[in-house]
Amino acid sequence: MASSSTWSMCSLRAALPSISASPSCPSISFPKYPSSSSGFKLSKPKSGPKPINSFVGLAPMSTLLFPSSYQDSSFEFTIIDNGGRISAMRHGRKVPKLNRPPDQRKALLRSLTTQLLKYGRIKTTRARASAMRKYVDKMITMAKDGSLHKRRQALGFIYEKQIVHALFAEVEERYGGREGGYTRIIRTLPRRGDNAPMAYIELV
Amino acid sequence: MPRDRDPLVVGRVIGDVLEPFTRSIGLRVVYSSREVNNGCEFRPSQIVNQPRVEVGGDDLRTCYTLVMVDPDAPSPSDPSLREYLHWLVTDIPGTTGVTFGQEIVCYENPRPSMGIHRFVFVLFRQLGRQTVYAPGWRQNFNTRDFAELYNLGSPVAAVYFNCQRESGTGGRRR
C-alpha cells in the first residue's frame, strides 16, 4: 500500500509542471476538530494520518487550478493552521511560560516589545506574539497617561530611551481615539528550521 | 481566533490603502517563477526586477491600470511617506500582461531599510484609453485620490506581499 502510493505520487509529480517549492511540504490539513471529538488531546505536532498522505499527490493539481481562479481565500497553498496543537481548554493557565525561566522570560518580552515599538511590525512565533500583547498594550497605556512617573516606569521596561520618548510624543495622535487593542496578530507560514508556527505582530 | 477572512482585510491593505471592494478580475504576479500570494514573504534579492503580471478578464478591449505601492514607507512604525509608489502601468489590455501596457512610472527595486513592509499591487479598470500623468514624486502617493482623479472607481483586484531587509532574520533563515 505504501509503495504503490509513493509510486503514484512520484509519477504524478513528474507528469505535472514543476510548481515552485513552498517552504513546508503542502499538506492539506482538514480541520482537525472532527478528529479530536473523541476527547483526547493530540499532543503530537503534525500527526498526518496515513490516508491523507496519498492525497498530497493531488496538491499540485489544485495549484494548477488556482492561477485561473481568484485567490479569494487562499492565504497560501500550505494551510496556516495552529501547528497541530489541539486542546479545547485553557483552564488555569494564566502566564505563558515561553519555555524559559522567569528572568529570561522577562528579558525576552522586554526586548520583543522594544523591537515592536521600534519597527512597527515584527515576525516571531505565535506563542511569543500572543504573550507580548499584554506588555505592548501596557506600554501604550502608560504613554497615553503621559506623566513623569509613567515615563520613568516605561524607561525601566523598554531597552532604548529614544523609543520611549518617541512613543510618548506620538501616542496621542496615533492612539488617542482608540481604547485598547493596539496590536494585531496575523498568522503566517511556519518556520523552515523547526516548523514553529509564526506570526506577524504589528501595531494597529 | 479570527474567522477566516479575506487576507487583504486581515493584513489591513483594505483600510490603509484601499476601500473594501469585490474582486472581479484575476491578477497573477510572478517574480522569477515564484508567485505572489497574499501575505507571503519575499526577499529584496528576489524582487529586484519587475515581475511578470498576468491580468485576467475576458476582453482585450478593456484597459487596466496597475499600481504598486508600499504603505509602510519608511518604516511601519512611522509611515510618514505612506504610500511610496513603486510602479505604475496603464492601458494594459485585458487577458494580457504588463508588457503590453504603458509604463508611466518605472519599476523601482524595493529596498526596505527598517521593519517589515507590505507591497501592494492594485488593479483598476479604466473606462477608456486616457493619459495618466506621473505624479511629481513617488512618496506620499494616495491610491484613493489617484483613483478619484482619473475616475478609475474601485479596484478590481489586489494582492500584497511582505518584504524586509536582506540581512534581517528574513534573509538569514527561511
Side-chain angles (χ1 to χ4, degrees), chain A residues 110-144:
Chain A
R110 283 174 70 181
S111 61
L112 281 172
T113 57
T114 307
Q115 298 283 306
L116 178 62
L117 292 171
K118 180 172 179 185
Y119 292 112
R121 179 182 294 127
I122 60 175
K123 182 173 172 183
T124 172
T125 65
R126 271 180 224 167
R128 291 180 196 171
S130 67
M132 299 162 56
R133 290 178 294 179
K134 168 177 167 180
Y135 295 92
V136 176
D137 287 353
K138 261 190 180 330
M139 286 300 117
I140 296 185
T141 311
M142 280 194 213
K144 272 187 161 180

PDB file of all heavy atoms in Angstrom, chain A residues 110-144:
ATOM      1  N   ARG A 110      10.662  42.001  27.226  1.00  0.00           N
ATOM      2  CA  ARG A 110      11.102  43.399  27.126  1.00  0.00           C
ATOM      3  C   ARG A 110      11.721  43.669  25.765  1.00  0.00           C
ATOM      4  O   ARG A 110      11.454  44.687  25.125  1.00  0.00           O
ATOM      5  CB  ARG A 110      12.134  43.704  28.210  1.00  0.00           C
ATOM      6  CG  ARG A 110      11.553  43.898  29.574  1.00  0.00           C
ATOM      7  CD  ARG A 110      12.621  44.053  30.617  1.00  0.00           C
ATOM      8  NE  ARG A 110      13.321  45.315  30.479  1.00  0.00           N
ATOM      9  CZ  ARG A 110      14.318  45.693  31.270  1.00  0.00           C
ATOM     10  NH1 ARG A 110      14.739  44.891  32.224  1.00  0.00           N
ATOM     11  NH2 ARG A 110      14.913  46.847  31.099  1.00  0.00           N
ATOM     12  N   SER A 111      12.556  42.754  25.317  1.00  0.00           N
ATOM     13  CA  SER A 111      13.207  43.020  24.033  1.00  0.00           C
ATOM     14  C   SER A 111      12.212  42.938  22.893  1.00  0.00           C
ATOM     15  O   SER A 111      12.283  43.722  21.948  1.00  0.00           O
ATOM     16  CB  SER A 111      14.364  42.065  23.810  1.00  0.00           C
ATOM     17  OG  SER A 111      13.915  40.744  23.779  1.00  0.00           O
ATOM     18  N   LEU A 112      11.257  42.026  22.967  1.00  0.00           N
ATOM     19  CA  LEU A 112      10.259  41.943  21.905  1.00  0.00           C
ATOM     20  C   LEU A 112       9.409  43.203  21.843  1.00  0.00           C
ATOM     21  O   LEU A 112       9.149  43.723  20.752  1.00  0.00           O
ATOM     22  CB  LEU A 112       9.360  40.727  22.115  1.00  0.00           C
ATOM     23  CG  LEU A 112       9.940  39.395  21.683  1.00  0.00           C
ATOM     24  CD1 LEU A 112       9.040  38.262  22.132  1.00  0.00           C
ATOM     25  CD2 LEU A 112      10.124  39.320  20.192  1.00  0.00           C
ATOM     26  N   THR A 113       8.988  43.728  22.994  1.00  0.00           N
ATOM     27  CA  THR A 113       8.186  44.945  22.921  1.00  0.00           C
ATOM     28  C   THR A 113       9.027  46.119  22.447  1.00  0.00           C
ATOM     29  O   THR A 113       8.554  46.968  21.701  1.00  0.00           O
ATOM     30  CB  THR A 113       7.551  45.321  24.273  1.00  0.00           C
ATOM     31  OG1 THR A 113       8.584  45.469  25.232  1.00  0.00           O
ATOM     32  CG2 THR A 113       6.594  44.282  24.736  1.00  0.00           C
ATOM     33  N   THR A 114      10.289  46.159  22.849  1.00  0.00           N
ATOM     34  CA  THR A 114      11.145  47.232  22.355  1.00  0.00           C
ATOM     35  C   THR A 114      11.235  47.179  20.837  1.00  0.00           C
ATOM     36  O   THR A 114      11.098  48.193  20.151  1.00  0.00           O
ATOM     37  CB  THR A 114      12.555  47.098  22.952  1.00  0.00           C
ATOM     38  OG1 THR A 114      12.452  47.019  24.352  1.00  0.00           O
ATOM     39  CG2 THR A 114      13.429  48.255  22.553  1.00  0.00           C
ATOM     40  N   GLN A 115      11.448  45.978  20.308  1.00  0.00           N
ATOM     41  CA  GLN A 115      11.577  45.857  18.857  1.00  0.00           C
ATOM     42  C   GLN A 115      10.276  46.193  18.153  1.00  0.00           C
ATOM     43  O   GLN A 115      10.284  46.814  17.096  1.00  0.00           O
ATOM     44  CB  GLN A 115      11.984  44.428  18.501  1.00  0.00           C
ATOM     45  CG  GLN A 115      13.316  44.004  19.057  1.00  0.00           C
ATOM     46  CD  GLN A 115      14.447  44.587  18.264  1.00  0.00           C
ATOM     47  OE1 GLN A 115      14.505  44.431  17.070  1.00  0.00           O
ATOM     48  NE2 GLN A 115      15.333  45.270  18.934  1.00  0.00           N
ATOM     49  N   LEU A 116       9.165  45.782  18.726  1.00  0.00           N
ATOM     50  CA  LEU A 116       7.898  46.077  18.059  1.00  0.00           C
ATOM     51  C   LEU A 116       7.644  47.560  18.037  1.00  0.00           C
ATOM     52  O   LEU A 116       7.211  48.133  17.041  1.00  0.00           O
ATOM     53  CB  LEU A 116       6.751  45.357  18.771  1.00  0.00           C
ATOM     54  CG  LEU A 116       5.376  45.652  18.157  1.00  0.00           C
ATOM     55  CD1 LEU A 116       5.337  45.170  16.748  1.00  0.00           C
ATOM     56  CD2 LEU A 116       4.284  45.009  18.962  1.00  0.00           C
ATOM     57  N   LEU A 117       7.932  48.239  19.145  1.00  0.00           N
ATOM     58  CA  LEU A 117       7.712  49.681  19.159  1.00  0.00           C
ATOM     59  C   LEU A 117       8.692  50.390  18.244  1.00  0.00           C
ATOM     60  O   LEU A 117       8.395  51.461  17.721  1.00  0.00           O
ATOM     61  CB  LEU A 117       7.849  50.212  20.584  1.00  0.00           C
ATOM     62  CG  LEU A 117       6.745  49.753  21.517  1.00  0.00           C
ATOM     63  CD1 LEU A 117       7.052  50.134  22.944  1.00  0.00           C
ATOM     64  CD2 LEU A 117       5.414  50.342  21.101  1.00  0.00           C
ATOM     65  N   LYS A 118       9.825  49.767  18.024  1.00  0.00           N
ATOM     66  CA  LYS A 118      10.802  50.412  17.152  1.00  0.00           C
ATOM     67  C   LYS A 118      10.471  50.218  15.690  1.00  0.00           C
ATOM     68  O   LYS A 118      10.560  51.140  14.891  1.00  0.00           O
ATOM     69  CB  LYS A 118      12.170  49.815  17.469  1.00  0.00           C
ATOM     70  CG  LYS A 118      13.300  50.362  16.652  1.00  0.00           C
ATOM     71  CD  LYS A 118      14.585  49.806  17.219  1.00  0.00           C
ATOM     72  CE  LYS A 118      15.780  50.273  16.446  1.00  0.00           C
ATOM     73  NZ  LYS A 118      17.006  49.628  16.950  1.00  0.00           N
ATOM     74  N   TYR A 119      10.092  48.984  15.302  1.00  0.00           N
ATOM     75  CA  TYR A 119       9.942  48.686  13.886  1.00  0.00           C
ATOM     76  C   TYR A 119       8.504  48.666  13.414  1.00  0.00           C
ATOM     77  O   TYR A 119       8.265  48.685  12.237  1.00  0.00           O
ATOM     78  CB  TYR A 119      10.586  47.340  13.555  1.00  0.00           C
ATOM     79  CG  TYR A 119      12.072  47.365  13.684  1.00  0.00           C
ATOM     80  CD1 TYR A 119      12.713  46.645  14.671  1.00  0.00           C
ATOM     81  CD2 TYR A 119      12.831  48.124  12.813  1.00  0.00           C
ATOM     82  CE1 TYR A 119      14.087  46.666  14.789  1.00  0.00           C
ATOM     83  CE2 TYR A 119      14.203  48.150  12.930  1.00  0.00           C
ATOM     84  CZ  TYR A 119      14.829  47.431  13.907  1.00  0.00           C
ATOM     85  OH  TYR A 119      16.180  47.457  14.025  1.00  0.00           O
ATOM     86  N   GLY A 120       7.561  48.572  14.324  1.00  0.00           N
ATOM     87  CA  GLY A 120       6.175  48.625  13.907  1.00  0.00           C
ATOM     88  C   GLY A 120       5.580  47.297  13.516  1.00  0.00           C
ATOM     89  O   GLY A 120       4.384  47.093  13.630  1.00  0.00           O
ATOM     90  N   ARG A 121       6.398  46.405  13.013  1.00  0.00           N
ATOM     91  CA  ARG A 121       5.870  45.091  12.645  1.00  0.00           C
ATOM     92  C   ARG A 121       7.010  44.107  12.743  1.00  0.00           C
ATOM     93  O   ARG A 121       8.059  44.341  12.155  1.00  0.00           O
ATOM     94  CB  ARG A 121       5.325  45.128  11.214  1.00  0.00           C
ATOM     95  CG  ARG A 121       4.780  43.804  10.744  1.00  0.00           C
ATOM     96  CD  ARG A 121       4.309  43.876   9.310  1.00  0.00           C
ATOM     97  NE  ARG A 121       3.180  44.757   9.181  1.00  0.00           N
ATOM     98  CZ  ARG A 121       3.111  45.768   8.327  1.00  0.00           C
ATOM     99  NH1 ARG A 121       4.112  46.017   7.535  1.00  0.00           N
ATOM    100  NH2 ARG A 121       2.046  46.519   8.266  1.00  0.00           N
ATOM    101  N   ILE A 122       6.825  43.042  13.471  1.00  0.00           N
ATOM    102  CA  ILE A 122       7.879  42.037  13.563  1.00  0.00           C
ATOM    103  C   ILE A 122       7.288  40.656  13.333  1.00  0.00           C
ATOM    104  O   ILE A 122       6.085  40.454  13.431  1.00  0.00           O
ATOM    105  CB  ILE A 122       8.608  42.062  14.924  1.00  0.00           C
ATOM    106  CG1 ILE A 122       7.639  41.794  16.064  1.00  0.00           C
ATOM    107  CG2 ILE A 122       9.313  43.377  15.120  1.00  0.00           C
ATOM    108  CD1 ILE A 122       8.337  41.696  17.386  1.00  0.00           C
ATOM    109  N   LYS A 123       8.163  39.743  13.006  1.00  0.00           N
ATOM    110  CA  LYS A 123       7.730  38.373  12.740  1.00  0.00           C
ATOM    111  C   LYS A 123       8.350  37.485  13.801  1.00  0.00           C
ATOM    112  O   LYS A 123       9.555  37.469  13.965  1.00  0.00           O
ATOM    113  CB  LYS A 123       8.205  37.959  11.354  1.00  0.00           C
ATOM    114  CG  LYS A 123       7.789  36.577  10.948  1.00  0.00           C
ATOM    115  CD  LYS A 123       8.187  36.379   9.512  1.00  0.00           C
ATOM    116  CE  LYS A 123       7.988  34.963   9.074  1.00  0.00           C
ATOM    117  NZ  LYS A 123       8.444  34.763   7.714  1.00  0.00           N
ATOM    118  N   THR A 124       7.511  36.774  14.489  1.00  0.00           N
ATOM    119  CA  THR A 124       8.025  35.942  15.570  1.00  0.00           C
ATOM    120  C   THR A 124       7.105  34.731  15.707  1.00  0.00           C
ATOM    121  O   THR A 124       6.208  34.539  14.896  1.00  0.00           O
ATOM    122  CB  THR A 124       8.094  36.771  16.869  1.00  0.00           C
ATOM    123  OG1 THR A 124       8.421  35.921  17.940  1.00  0.00           O
ATOM    124  CG2 THR A 124       6.776  37.412  17.185  1.00  0.00           C
ATOM    125  N   THR A 125       7.354  33.904  16.716  1.00  0.00           N
ATOM    126  CA  THR A 125       6.488  32.738  16.862  1.00  0.00           C
ATOM    127  C   THR A 125       5.152  33.168  17.462  1.00  0.00           C
ATOM    128  O   THR A 125       5.038  34.208  18.105  1.00  0.00           O
ATOM    129  CB  THR A 125       7.119  31.680  17.769  1.00  0.00           C
ATOM    130  OG1 THR A 125       7.224  32.211  19.077  1.00  0.00           O
ATOM    131  CG2 THR A 125       8.477  31.281  17.268  1.00  0.00           C
ATOM    132  N   ARG A 126       4.153  32.328  17.233  1.00  0.00           N
ATOM    133  CA  ARG A 126       2.804  32.707  17.669  1.00  0.00           C
ATOM    134  C   ARG A 126       2.697  32.814  19.176  1.00  0.00           C
ATOM    135  O   ARG A 126       2.000  33.685  19.698  1.00  0.00           O
ATOM    136  CB  ARG A 126       1.793  31.683  17.156  1.00  0.00           C
ATOM    137  CG  ARG A 126       1.293  32.047  15.814  1.00  0.00           C
ATOM    138  CD  ARG A 126       0.305  31.060  15.309  1.00  0.00           C
ATOM    139  NE  ARG A 126       0.610  30.773  13.931  1.00  0.00           N
ATOM    140  CZ  ARG A 126       0.096  29.773  13.248  1.00  0.00           C
ATOM    141  NH1 ARG A 126      -0.730  28.939  13.829  1.00  0.00           N
ATOM    142  NH2 ARG A 126       0.417  29.592  12.003  1.00  0.00           N
ATOM    143  N   ALA A 127       3.387  31.911  19.850  1.00  0.00           N
ATOM    144  CA  ALA A 127       3.290  31.962  21.316  1.00  0.00           C
ATOM    145  C   ALA A 127       3.870  33.266  21.837  1.00  0.00           C
ATOM    146  O   ALA A 127       3.299  33.917  22.723  1.00  0.00           O
ATOM    147  CB  ALA A 127       4.043  30.776  21.920  1.00  0.00           C
ATOM    148  N   ARG A 128       5.002  33.675  21.268  1.00  0.00           N
ATOM    149  CA  ARG A 128       5.616  34.915  21.748  1.00  0.00           C
ATOM    150  C   ARG A 128       4.764  36.117  21.374  1.00  0.00           C
ATOM    151  O   ARG A 128       4.635  37.059  22.152  1.00  0.00           O
ATOM    152  CB  ARG A 128       6.996  35.079  21.121  1.00  0.00           C
ATOM    153  CG  ARG A 128       7.958  34.078  21.636  1.00  0.00           C
ATOM    154  CD  ARG A 128       9.297  34.248  21.009  1.00  0.00           C
ATOM    155  NE  ARG A 128      10.083  33.048  21.236  1.00  0.00           N
ATOM    156  CZ  ARG A 128      11.243  32.814  20.666  1.00  0.00           C
ATOM    157  NH1 ARG A 128      11.745  33.693  19.827  1.00  0.00           N
ATOM    158  NH2 ARG A 128      11.880  31.704  20.923  1.00  0.00           N
ATOM    159  N   ALA A 129       4.194  36.063  20.175  1.00  0.00           N
ATOM    160  CA  ALA A 129       3.384  37.208  19.754  1.00  0.00           C
ATOM    161  C   ALA A 129       2.187  37.366  20.673  1.00  0.00           C
ATOM    162  O   ALA A 129       1.857  38.474  21.101  1.00  0.00           O
ATOM    163  CB  ALA A 129       2.934  37.023  18.307  1.00  0.00           C
ATOM    164  N   SER A 130       1.532  36.260  21.001  1.00  0.00           N
ATOM    165  CA  SER A 130       0.355  36.424  21.843  1.00  0.00           C
ATOM    166  C   SER A 130       0.748  36.722  23.277  1.00  0.00           C
ATOM    167  O   SER A 130      -0.031  37.310  24.018  1.00  0.00           O
ATOM    168  CB  SER A 130      -0.560  35.213  21.747  1.00  0.00           C
ATOM    169  OG  SER A 130       0.058  34.103  22.310  1.00  0.00           O
ATOM    170  N   ALA A 131       1.982  36.354  23.689  1.00  0.00           N
ATOM    171  CA  ALA A 131       2.400  36.708  25.044  1.00  0.00           C
ATOM    172  C   ALA A 131       2.779  38.171  25.153  1.00  0.00           C
ATOM    173  O   ALA A 131       2.637  38.773  26.216  1.00  0.00           O
ATOM    174  CB  ALA A 131       3.596  35.845  25.460  1.00  0.00           C
ATOM    175  N   MET A 132       3.231  38.759  24.041  1.00  0.00           N
ATOM    176  CA  MET A 132       3.696  40.136  24.120  1.00  0.00           C
ATOM    177  C   MET A 132       2.596  41.152  24.138  1.00  0.00           C
ATOM    178  O   MET A 132       2.839  42.299  24.517  1.00  0.00           O
ATOM    179  CB  MET A 132       4.453  40.542  22.875  1.00  0.00           C
ATOM    180  CG  MET A 132       5.404  40.194  22.344  1.00  0.00           C
ATOM    181  SD  MET A 132       5.950  40.468  20.724  1.00  0.00           S
ATOM    182  CE  MET A 132       5.960  42.194  20.588  1.00  0.00           C
ATOM    183  N   ARG A 133       1.408  40.747  23.696  1.00  0.00           N
ATOM    184  CA  ARG A 133       0.340  41.731  23.526  1.00  0.00           C
ATOM    185  C   ARG A 133       0.109  42.529  24.788  1.00  0.00           C
ATOM    186  O   ARG A 133      -0.075  43.750  24.757  1.00  0.00           O
ATOM    187  CB  ARG A 133      -0.965  41.034  23.152  1.00  0.00           C
ATOM    188  CG  ARG A 133      -0.987  40.441  21.780  1.00  0.00           C
ATOM    189  CD  ARG A 133      -2.295  39.742  21.541  1.00  0.00           C
ATOM    190  NE  ARG A 133      -2.429  38.589  22.415  1.00  0.00           N
ATOM    191  CZ  ARG A 133      -3.498  37.804  22.436  1.00  0.00           C
ATOM    192  NH1 ARG A 133      -4.517  38.067  21.657  1.00  0.00           N
ATOM    193  NH2 ARG A 133      -3.551  36.773  23.244  1.00  0.00           N
ATOM    194  N   LYS A 134       0.146  41.802  25.910  1.00  0.00           N
ATOM    195  CA  LYS A 134      -0.173  42.464  27.175  1.00  0.00           C
ATOM    196  C   LYS A 134       0.825  43.575  27.452  1.00  0.00           C
ATOM    197  O   LYS A 134       0.456  44.677  27.877  1.00  0.00           O
ATOM    198  CB  LYS A 134      -0.132  41.399  28.263  1.00  0.00           C
ATOM    199  CG  LYS A 134      -0.163  41.918  29.653  1.00  0.00           C
ATOM    200  CD  LYS A 134      -0.189  40.747  30.628  1.00  0.00           C
ATOM    201  CE  LYS A 134       0.107  41.228  32.032  1.00  0.00           C
ATOM    202  NZ  LYS A 134       0.087  40.139  32.991  1.00  0.00           N
ATOM    203  N   TYR A 135       2.103  43.297  27.179  1.00  0.00           N
ATOM    204  CA  TYR A 135       3.123  44.273  27.544  1.00  0.00           C
ATOM    205  C   TYR A 135       3.128  45.450  26.600  1.00  0.00           C
ATOM    206  O   TYR A 135       3.342  46.593  26.995  1.00  0.00           O
ATOM    207  CB  TYR A 135       4.480  43.568  27.594  1.00  0.00           C
ATOM    208  CG  TYR A 135       4.496  42.546  28.683  1.00  0.00           C
ATOM    209  CD1 TYR A 135       4.149  41.225  28.437  1.00  0.00           C
ATOM    210  CD2 TYR A 135       4.801  42.910  29.980  1.00  0.00           C
ATOM    211  CE1 TYR A 135       4.113  40.301  29.452  1.00  0.00           C
ATOM    212  CE2 TYR A 135       4.773  41.989  31.001  1.00  0.00           C
ATOM    213  CZ  TYR A 135       4.423  40.687  30.733  1.00  0.00           C
ATOM    214  OH  TYR A 135       4.373  39.767  31.733  1.00  0.00           O
ATOM    215  N   VAL A 136       2.856  45.192  25.335  1.00  0.00           N
ATOM    216  CA  VAL A 136       2.794  46.303  24.390  1.00  0.00           C
ATOM    217  C   VAL A 136       1.632  47.216  24.744  1.00  0.00           C
ATOM    218  O   VAL A 136       1.760  48.448  24.752  1.00  0.00           O
ATOM    219  CB  VAL A 136       2.636  45.765  22.956  1.00  0.00           C
ATOM    220  CG1 VAL A 136       2.482  46.898  21.991  1.00  0.00           C
ATOM    221  CG2 VAL A 136       3.819  44.933  22.581  1.00  0.00           C
ATOM    222  N   ASP A 137       0.503  46.607  25.070  1.00  0.00           N
ATOM    223  CA  ASP A 137      -0.647  47.437  25.440  1.00  0.00           C
ATOM    224  C   ASP A 137      -0.372  48.226  26.698  1.00  0.00           C
ATOM    225  O   ASP A 137      -0.784  49.382  26.825  1.00  0.00           O
ATOM    226  CB  ASP A 137      -1.885  46.554  25.623  1.00  0.00           C
ATOM    227  CG  ASP A 137      -2.439  46.047  24.317  1.00  0.00           C
ATOM    228  OD1 ASP A 137      -1.933  46.488  23.267  1.00  0.00           O
ATOM    229  OD2 ASP A 137      -3.372  45.226  24.325  1.00  0.00           O
ATOM    230  N   LYS A 138       0.355  47.598  27.625  1.00  0.00           N
ATOM    231  CA  LYS A 138       0.693  48.327  28.850  1.00  0.00           C
ATOM    232  C   LYS A 138       1.550  49.536  28.546  1.00  0.00           C
ATOM    233  O   LYS A 138       1.344  50.632  29.086  1.00  0.00           O
ATOM    234  CB  LYS A 138       1.480  47.410  29.789  1.00  0.00           C
ATOM    235  CG  LYS A 138       0.687  46.775  30.885  1.00  0.00           C
ATOM    236  CD  LYS A 138       1.674  46.115  31.834  1.00  0.00           C
ATOM    237  CE  LYS A 138       1.090  45.409  33.020  1.00  0.00           C
ATOM    238  NZ  LYS A 138      -0.064  45.725  33.650  1.00  0.00           N
ATOM    239  N   MET A 139       2.530  49.352  27.655  1.00  0.00           N
ATOM    240  CA  MET A 139       3.413  50.467  27.329  1.00  0.00           C
ATOM    241  C   MET A 139       2.640  51.595  26.688  1.00  0.00           C
ATOM    242  O   MET A 139       2.841  52.775  26.991  1.00  0.00           O
ATOM    243  CB  MET A 139       4.515  50.007  26.359  1.00  0.00           C
ATOM    244  CG  MET A 139       5.570  49.168  26.991  1.00  0.00           C
ATOM    245  SD  MET A 139       6.411  50.053  28.297  1.00  0.00           S
ATOM    246  CE  MET A 139       5.978  49.051  29.686  1.00  0.00           C
ATOM    247  N   ILE A 140       1.732  51.258  25.792  1.00  0.00           N
ATOM    248  CA  ILE A 140       0.995  52.316  25.116  1.00  0.00           C
ATOM    249  C   ILE A 140       0.049  53.000  26.095  1.00  0.00           C
ATOM    250  O   ILE A 140      -0.137  54.220  26.039  1.00  0.00           O
ATOM    251  CB  ILE A 140       0.268  51.741  23.896  1.00  0.00           C
ATOM    252  CG1 ILE A 140       1.320  51.242  22.918  1.00  0.00           C
ATOM    253  CG2 ILE A 140      -0.617  52.766  23.258  1.00  0.00           C
ATOM    254  CD1 ILE A 140       0.791  50.749  21.635  1.00  0.00           C
ATOM    255  N   THR A 141      -0.500  52.237  27.006  1.00  0.00           N
ATOM    256  CA  THR A 141      -1.364  52.865  28.011  1.00  0.00           C
ATOM    257  C   THR A 141      -0.570  53.815  28.894  1.00  0.00           C
ATOM    258  O   THR A 141      -1.039  54.898  29.243  1.00  0.00           O
ATOM    259  CB  THR A 141      -2.020  51.790  28.872  1.00  0.00           C
ATOM    260  OG1 THR A 141      -2.579  50.812  28.015  1.00  0.00           O
ATOM    261  CG2 THR A 141      -3.085  52.371  29.753  1.00  0.00           C
ATOM    262  N   MET A 142       0.638  53.410  29.251  1.00  0.00           N
ATOM    263  CA  MET A 142       1.488  54.306  30.033  1.00  0.00           C
ATOM    264  C   MET A 142       1.794  55.574  29.267  1.00  0.00           C
ATOM    265  O   MET A 142       1.806  56.680  29.823  1.00  0.00           O
ATOM    266  CB  MET A 142       2.807  53.617  30.359  1.00  0.00           C
ATOM    267  CG  MET A 142       2.748  52.672  31.500  1.00  0.00           C
ATOM    268  SD  MET A 142       4.436  52.310  31.971  1.00  0.00           S
ATOM    269  CE  MET A 142       4.250  50.649  32.504  1.00  0.00           C
ATOM    270  N   ALA A 143       2.024  55.417  27.978  1.00  0.00           N
ATOM    271  CA  ALA A 143       2.327  56.604  27.177  1.00  0.00           C
ATOM    272  C   ALA A 143       1.120  57.506  27.097  1.00  0.00           C
ATOM    273  O   ALA A 143       1.249  58.733  27.104  1.00  0.00           O
ATOM    274  CB  ALA A 143       2.778  56.182  25.781  1.00  0.00           C
ATOM    275  N   LYS A 144      -0.052  56.900  27.050  1.00  0.00           N
ATOM    276  CA  LYS A 144      -1.262  57.720  26.994  1.00  0.00           C
ATOM    277  C   LYS A 144      -1.425  58.513  28.273  1.00  0.00           C
ATOM    278  O   LYS A 144      -1.899  59.649  28.252  1.00  0.00           O
ATOM    279  CB  LYS A 144      -2.487  56.832  26.812  1.00  0.00           C
ATOM    280  CG  LYS A 144      -2.819  56.530  25.400  1.00  0.00           C
ATOM    281  CD  LYS A 144      -4.132  55.794  25.373  1.00  0.00           C
ATOM    282  CE  LYS A 144      -4.753  55.849  24.031  1.00  0.00           C
ATOM    283  NZ  LYS A 144      -6.021  55.136  24.016  1.00  0.00           N
TER     284      LYS A 144
END
